[in-house]
Amino acid sequence: MVVIRVKPAFLTLLILFTHTTSSQLTNPNPTPTPWPEQFHSIIFMTTNGTKYQKVDLWYDWPNGRNFNIIQSQLGKLLYDLEWTNGTSFYYTLDSNKECRVMHFPVGILAPDWLHGATYVGQKNLDGFLCNVWEKVEFIIYYEDVVSKRPVSWTFYTGMSAHIMTFEVGKVLDDPNWQAPVYCFKNAAEQEKANDDKKRIGIAESVASMDGPYHGRLNMRSIAMNLTAAI
Ligand SMILES: *[C@@H]1O[C@H](CO)[C@@H](O)[C@H](O)[C@H]1NC(C)=O
Ligand SMILES: *[C@@H]1O[C@H](CO)[C@@H](O)[C@H](O)[C@H]1NC(C)=O
Ligand SMILES: *[C@@H]1O[C@H](CO)[C@@H](O)[C@H](O)[C@H]1NC(C)=O
């Protein structure tokens, strides 16, 4: 009995799988798979083979929040907590108690943030056959042809991300999303520090992504110089 039930199911799966795979391989103009609404990734970042960083990315669209926990090689552990109301907190949790609060005119990336990217074909990257899209002067994005998971992306600055893990549906517990108290103590002072050179530089690099090519695209955490942010 069991065998009779299993056989058609297996065949159906096989047909579906074969069908999906072949249509993915032959679709002349595929679109990037939207990001899952919630996931956790470990990402290795490098800029042309220098400035190595390990990033824990906690993407949480339904709760309007995005977290990058960034370990620079033999360096700082930096927390980059972004809220969709435009507030970002950059802080350390060491004895230096550094924190910078920033405000941006755009929220966090939407799951379909790659919508409108130009398909540029297939390429082997990091050992995976990928579909590749480009947003001119901003990003090149590589997605695994078969699993449709992101494999890598490279910013126009030369900074590239390599996706090491991709855990769909994994959410970081609420208490971890609380910026430390010294972020709020300094808030008033930071509001006044409008003449801060680095701060203006960061604001400009975000604003420039609001141009015709990028729509309201905002990758606050990455397009700016994170180490300069504190
Ligand atoms: C945005 O939301 C965060 C988290 O709730 C909060 O700490 C911050 O003050 C808010 N920013 C503004 C401008 O309301
Ligand atoms: C990284 O390499 C690219 C391509 O060679 C170059 O355009 C870019 O300026 C480099 N970036 C840095 C920060 O060296
Ligand atoms: C990052 O900083 C370097 C040197 O400080 C600068 O040349 C580069 O343009 C900055 N990148 C961005 C995206 O602002």
Side-chain angles (χ1 to χ4, degrees):
M1 287 302 164
V2 174
V3 173
I4 289 167
R5 273 194 211 142
V6 166
K7 261 187 182 168
F10 175 73
L11 279 179
T12 309
L13 277 178
L14 191 66
I15 289 161
L16 281 174
F17 177 76
T18 311
H19 176 76
T20 313
T21 305
S22 61
S23 67
Q24 275 168 359
L25 289 170
T26 56
N27 183 347
N29 197 14
T31 52
T33 306
W35 276 5
E37 295 209 337
Q38 295 174 313
F39 69 90
H40 171 232
S41 270
I42 295 170
I43 302 175
F44 287 164
M45 314 265 329
T46 174
T47 302
N48 294 347
T50 62
K51 296 182 191 162
Y52 286 96
Q53 295 176 323
K54 188 205 86 172
V55 179
D56 268 284
L57 170 63
W58 297 91
Y59 180 74
D60 191 349
W61 174 253
N63 290 305
R65 59 194 187 181
N66 187 49
F67 212 164
N68 293 279
I69 303 170
I70 304 149
Q71 175 66 63
S72 293
Q73 187 175 18
L74 300 174
K76 206 178 262 189
L77 180 58
L78 179 65
Y79 295 78
D80 161 14
L81 172 52
E82 307 171 349
W83 294 97
T84 205
N85 63 10
T87 301
S88 281
F89 298 95
Y90 305 92
Y91 53 89
T92 62
L93 289 177
D94 58 12
S95 55
N96 290 335
K97 299 191 172 181
E98 294 170 275
C99 183
R100 179 172 289 263
V101 184
M102 306 270 298
H103 298 284
F104 296 94
V106 285
I108 63 169
L109 288 177
D112 68 346
W113 64 279
L114 283 160
H115 182 80
T118 306
Y119 183 61
V120 293
Q122 293 188 341
K123 193 181 164 183
N124 267 298
L125 193 89
D126 297 351
F128 300 88
L129 179 63
C130 296
N131 281 318
V132 187
W133 292 268
E134 192 172 69
K135 284 219 170 195
V136 177
E137 288 171 10
F138 180 58
I139 198 170
I140 304 174
Y141 187 85
Y142 300 84
E143 177 186 289
D144 183 67
V145 165
V146 176
S147 72
K148 300 203 149 203
R149 287 181 300 200
V151 171
S152 178
W153 54 78
T154 300
F155 294 100
Y156 72 103
T157 56
M159 181 189 269
S160 65
H162 303 267
I163 312 305
M164 307 304 293
T165 65
F166 194 66
E167 297 174 281
V168 175
K170 195 150 181 206
V171 180
L172 184 65
D173 293 338
D174 282 343
N176 298 292
W177 296 84
Q178 179 60 58
V181 64
Y182 43 88
C183 286
F184 300 93
K185 277 185 188 156
N186 293 338
E189 290 164 36
Q190 295 195 15
E191 293 293 341
K192 287 179 196 152
N194 279 324
D195 56 346
D196 185 294
K197 221 177 168 184
K198 285 172 185 167
R199 188 185 159 122
I200 289 166
I202 290 164
E204 277 171 358
S205 65
V206 172
S208 70
M209 282 187 279
D210 241 349
Y213 293 122
H214 314 120
R216 283 180 61 76
L217 183 56
N218 170 28
M219 207 152 203
R220 298 177 196 171
S221 49
I222 310 290
M224 68 181 64
N225 277 319
L226 285 162
T227 42
I230 280 195

